Amino acid sequence: MNLTNYVRQVSSEDFGKEFRHEAVWNTRLRSTGGRFFPKDGHLDFNFKIYERFGLETFRKIVRHELCHYHLYFEKKGYRHRDQDFKNLLKKVDGLRYAPGFDDRSTVLIYQCQQCHMFYFRKKQINPKRYCCGKCQGKLKFIRKQ
């Protein structure tokens, strides 16, 4: 799919306005569906959203970013907190927030060697540096869950 042409199509169909800049995939985006850059007018989109949630959800994210785009160039309130943005987003049925997905959903389990208390962490810790908060015993990595 040519992303820029797709964004131009959505802009003309849903907004009745022309999209004159470039749209690109950004593989570094993690928690957002897309970004608008007022400095040069281009749009970045998260390919993982398109891949995981499909074209219908992705189209709503494109609408969201196009709301920023068109309002900025019309010199209206283009930020999330502005009433112009909220009204236009509702009118074109865009998504307010990107659908959530967490790639780091694994839980690391550590256990104290003395009192056998369990510690559940999202991030890895160094058992040589940290100790049990209850008895100051040594921690041991058990497993990922």
Side-chain angles (χ1 to χ4, degrees):
M1 165 180 29
N2 185 332
L3 185 59
T4 302
N5 288 340
Y6 179 72
V7 173
R8 284 186 181 135
Q9 176 189 346
V10 172
S11 181
S12 65
E13 290 174 4
D14 297 344
F15 292 85
K17 299 174 186 174
E18 185 181 356
F19 176 69
R20 297 185 186 111
H21 292 84
E22 187 180 10
V24 294
W25 295 114
N26 186 339
T27 57
R28 292 174 288 132
L29 295 179
R30 297 278 181 244
S31 61
T32 184
R35 291 191 307 182
F36 164 62
F37 292 86
K39 192 172 186 177
D40 63 354
H42 86 276
L43 301 175
D44 277 2
F45 290 101
N46 187 342
F47 185 73
K48 291 178 188 170
I49 296 280
Y50 170 68
E51 204 174 43
R52 191 169 291 180
F53 296 102
L55 191 60
E56 185 178 333
T57 302
F58 181 69
R59 186 178 180 108
K60 290 183 179 189
I61 290 172
V62 171
R63 289 178 191 150
H64 176 106
E65 297 308 322
L66 283 171
C67 286
H68 290 297
Y69 176 85
H70 291 302
L71 289 171
Y72 177 79
F73 288 111
E74 292 171 4
K75 300 200 184 327
K76 294 182 179 177
Y78 69 96
R79 295 190 172 111
H80 289 122
R81 65 177 178 253
D82 297 327
Q83 199 60 45
D84 291 331
F85 177 80
K86 291 177 183 177
N87 292 339
L88 183 59
L89 188 65
K90 192 178 228 180
K91 182 181 172 186
V92 297
D93 188 32
L95 279 181
R96 180 81 167 106
Y97 302 103
F101 63 94
D102 190 13
D103 291 339
R104 299 181 300 150
S105 61
T106 59
V107 177
L108 304 169
I109 303 172
Y110 297 88
Q111 186 178 24
C112 175
Q113 296 295 297
Q114 289 180 5
C115 69
H116 305 289
M117 184 168 174
F118 287 99
Y119 292 90
F120 301 92
R121 299 288 179 262
K122 289 183 180 178
K123 292 185 178 181
Q124 188 174 358
I125 63 169
N126 184 356
K128 295 177 183 173
R129 184 172 178 194
Y130 295 97
C131 63
C132 176
K134 186 176 177 184
C135 70
Q136 281 68 46
K138 291 187 176 189
L139 296 179
K140 181 181 177 185
F141 175 73
I142 303 298
R143 69 175 186 273
K144 284 185 181 182
Q145 189 173 358

